[in-house]
């Protein structure tokens, strides 16, 4: 699905030098690389504060902690996402409220959001899934009217840009109260281990986040609240600084591969290619097709026999996961999610796909449909 070795080979001298630099300085934790990365990412995203942390799941948890929610408060998120988003809600003894998604973008459905709001709703977590922003104009409007906080899960969409009706353009994760991301190796901006970050334009929230990631400490050894220990280490920051310089070209490579796929599948009846919304750029963390009238699993097996990895993100809706089942929450509440779980399939998507590989993959997919 990804070619991280191929990507590394191209930037090897600078990455190796940066890692050696950290080893020579022994500033493994809270070193200058972390500070520089923080500042460079702030500039890239045009956001006031970036708070690095240990991974994308921690980032979500820390964001929820900073909002000071009480057990039982409801947090609305998408039913069609990686489990981390809903996991942290449950971990903090908050109540996850899952909602259906839009068929075209796979993102949170705004009508479903409106219906899900109750007096207990304290936060909304739109997940910008597969590389494209949720309908943030509408979500921010609803949040404002109801005085609800917004945490954007940007683990799959760093670098995506959203355009508001008045022409304002903002980066994914920098629109709501807090944005979170992951630097897991296969993410669009990935490090060589685990990493994550929080974004905010609110200086008070930033101070709270800074404290929570560091044991709830504002002044050294004075703990104002219960926090966690969640750090991005200097070696990861050094790698990320270099990869950040390439992020725009990485995105362009993903978009070019996506265009190749979409052009190639234009006349395949059994496939629906991903929509690129008018309001958001698509950074193609995943290239996700919807199959129509064919056995999706047979297609996956056929490709696998041809040594083409194709993955199903996500095969089971969260409300049907053992850990997240709740009484009274049923399949009929999520018609789109249920359908997507049966028909989606994602093709290899990364920065190193060349035309030969793309041709082989697209020809193989077409061969399945011409059988
Ligand atoms: C990857 C991912 C996360 C979690 O990130 P980690 O760094 O693996 O903890 C959270 N949300 C979404 C949507 C993700 O894709």
């Amino acid at each position: 699905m990804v070619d991280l070795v191929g990507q590394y080979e191209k930037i090897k001298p600078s990455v190796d030098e940066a890692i050696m630099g950290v080893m020579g300085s022994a500033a493994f934790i809270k070193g200058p690389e972390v500070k520089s990365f923080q500042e460079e990412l702030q500039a890239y995203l045009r956001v006031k504060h970036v708070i690095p942390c240990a991974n994308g799941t921690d980032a979500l948890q820390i964001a929820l902690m900073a909002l000071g929610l009480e057990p039982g408060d409801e947090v609305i998120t998408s039913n069609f996402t990686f489990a981390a988003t809903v996991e942290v809600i449950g971990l903090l003894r908050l109540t996850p409220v899952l909602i259906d998604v839009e068929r075209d973008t796979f993102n949170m459905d705004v009508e479903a959001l409106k219906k899900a709001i109750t007096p207990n709703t304290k936060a909304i977590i739109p997940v910008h899934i597969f590389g494209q922003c949720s309908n943030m104009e509408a979500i921010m409007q609803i949040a404002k009217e109801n005085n609800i906080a917004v945490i954007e899960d940007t683990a799959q969409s760093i670098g995506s840009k959203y355009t508001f009706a008045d022409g304002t353009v903002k980066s994914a994760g920098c629109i709501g109260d807090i944005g979170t991301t992951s630097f897991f190796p296969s993410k669009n901006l990935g490090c060589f281990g685990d990493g994550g970050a929080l974004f905010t334009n609110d200086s008070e929230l930033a101070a709270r986040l800074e404290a929570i990631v560091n044991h709830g400490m504002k002044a050294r050894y004075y703990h104002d609240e219960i926090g966690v220990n969640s750090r991005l280490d200097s070696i990861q920051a050094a790698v990320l600084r270099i990869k950040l310089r390439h992020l725009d070209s990485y995105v362009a490579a993903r978009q070019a591969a996506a265009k190749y796929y979409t052009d190639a599948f234009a006349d395949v009846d059994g496939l629906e290619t991903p929509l690129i919304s008018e309001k958001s750029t698509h950074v193609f963390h995943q290239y996700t097709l919807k199959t129509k009238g064919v056995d999706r699993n047979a297609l996956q097996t056929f490709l696998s026999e041809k040594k083409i990895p194709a993955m199903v993100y996500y095969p089971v809706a969260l409300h049907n996961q053992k850990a997240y089942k709740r009484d009274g929450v049923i399949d009929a509440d999520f018609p789109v999610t249920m359908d997507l779980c049966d028909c989606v399939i994602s093709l290899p998507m990364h920065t190193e796909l060349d035309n030969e590989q793309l041709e082989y993959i697209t020809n193989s997919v077409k061969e399945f449909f011409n059988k």
Side-chain angles (χ1 to χ4, degrees), residues 55-57 60 81-82 84-85 127 153 155-156 182 184 187 195 314:
N55 58 67
T57 309
L60 286 161
T81 174
F82 180 56
T85 323
V127 182
D153 182 345
Q156 301 190 4
S182 163
F184 184 80
K187 300 280 154 107
Y314 298 92

Side-chain angles (χ1 to χ4, degrees), residues 250-265:
Y250 289 161
V251 168
R254 288 172 177 275
Q255 289 168 337
K259 183 169 187 315
Y260 190 108
Y261 281 144
T262 292
D263 289 348
F265 301 140

Side-chain angles (χ1 to χ4, degrees), residues 37-328:
F37 172 61
Q38 191 177 356
E39 288 163 4
E40 287 158 11
L41 189 55
Q42 277 164 198
Y44 178 85
L45 296 171
R46 298 170 195 274
V47 70
K48 271 198 202 148
H49 307 275
V50 165
I51 297 102
C53 66
N55 58 67
T57 309
D58 272 10
L60 286 161
Q61 180 185 329
I62 292 157
L64 285 168
M65 288 171 77
L67 297 178
L69 307 186
E70 302 286 339
D73 285 349
E74 291 171 10
V75 181
I76 300 176
T77 193
S78 162
N79 196 354
F80 190 68
T81 174
F82 180 56
T85 323
V86 64
E87 179 177 52
V88 295
I89 301 172
L91 201 63
L92 295 171
R93 296 282 179 259
L94 306 170
T95 303
V97 176
L98 299 169
I99 59 170
D100 209 2
V101 294
E102 300 174 341
R103 209 187 133 75
D104 283 345
T105 63
F106 311 100
N107 280 324
M108 174 177 279
D109 182 304
V110 168
E111 292 310 312
L113 171 62
K114 285 183 193 159
K115 285 192 200 124
I117 288 175
T118 76
N120 294 328
T121 308
K122 295 292 157 57
I124 306 168
I125 310 184
V127 182
H128 305 316
I129 206 85
F130 301 152
Q132 194 162 229
C133 292
S134 311
N135 184 347
M136 289 308 289
E137 182 118 37
I139 292 169
M140 292 310 292
Q141 183 67 35
I142 294 166
K144 206 171 148 197
E145 280 165 11
N146 294 280
N147 197 22
I148 300 170
V150 175
I151 300 171
E152 301 171 70
D153 182 345
T154 315
Q156 301 190 4
S157 297
I158 194 161
S160 173
K161 294 201 170 57
Y162 185 87
T163 306
F164 287 83
D166 68 0
T168 315
V169 177
K170 289 188 181 173
S171 292
C174 309
I175 302 167
D177 297 274
I178 305 174
T180 67
T181 202
S182 163
F183 304 124
F184 184 80
S186 65
K187 300 280 154 107
N188 284 25
L189 179 61
C191 58
F192 287 5
D194 274 310
L198 296 123
F199 320 136
T200 186
N201 282 307
D202 178 328
S203 298
E204 252 173 65
L205 265 180
R208 184 115 198 244
L209 294 169
E210 294 271 10
I212 294 171
V213 296
N214 188 26
H215 304 289
M217 222 159 34
K218 280 211 172 104
R220 204 161 199 190
Y221 303 124
Y222 288 83
H223 304 268
D224 297 349
E225 62 184 318
I226 295 179
V228 294
N229 171 25
S230 187
R231 294 187 282 244
L232 180 74
D233 68 69
S234 305
I235 289 181
Q236 303 309 334
V239 172
L240 286 166
R241 286 187 70 198
I242 292 169
K243 288 196 101 187
L244 180 60
R245 289 170 211 153
H246 296 277
L247 184 56
D248 286 340
S249 68
Y250 289 161
V251 168
R254 288 172 177 275
Q255 289 168 337
K259 183 169 187 315
Y260 190 108
Y261 281 144
T262 292
D263 289 348
F265 301 140
D267 49 5
V268 179
D269 277 342
L271 286 179
E272 198 180 318
T273 53
L275 172 108
I276 300 178
S277 114
E278 281 168 19
K279 290 179 176 175
S280 171
T281 60
H282 200 322
V283 297
F284 284 101
H285 177 60
Q286 297 297 344
Y287 182 86
T288 304
L289 294 159
K290 293 189 275 272
T291 56
K292 292 183 285 188
V294 291
D295 180 350
R296 184 262 320 267
N297 297 348
L299 170 60
Q300 189 180 19
T301 308
F302 180 82
L303 294 175
S304 146
E305 278 160 9
K306 292 183 167 293
K307 303 270 180 287
I308 298 169
M311 295 289 288
V312 173
Y313 306 114
Y314 298 92
V316 181
L318 288 173
H319 77 280
N320 279 335
Q321 300 282 358
K322 232 182 185 174
Y324 304 114
K325 269 190 186 297
R326 288 179 65 206
D327 288 346

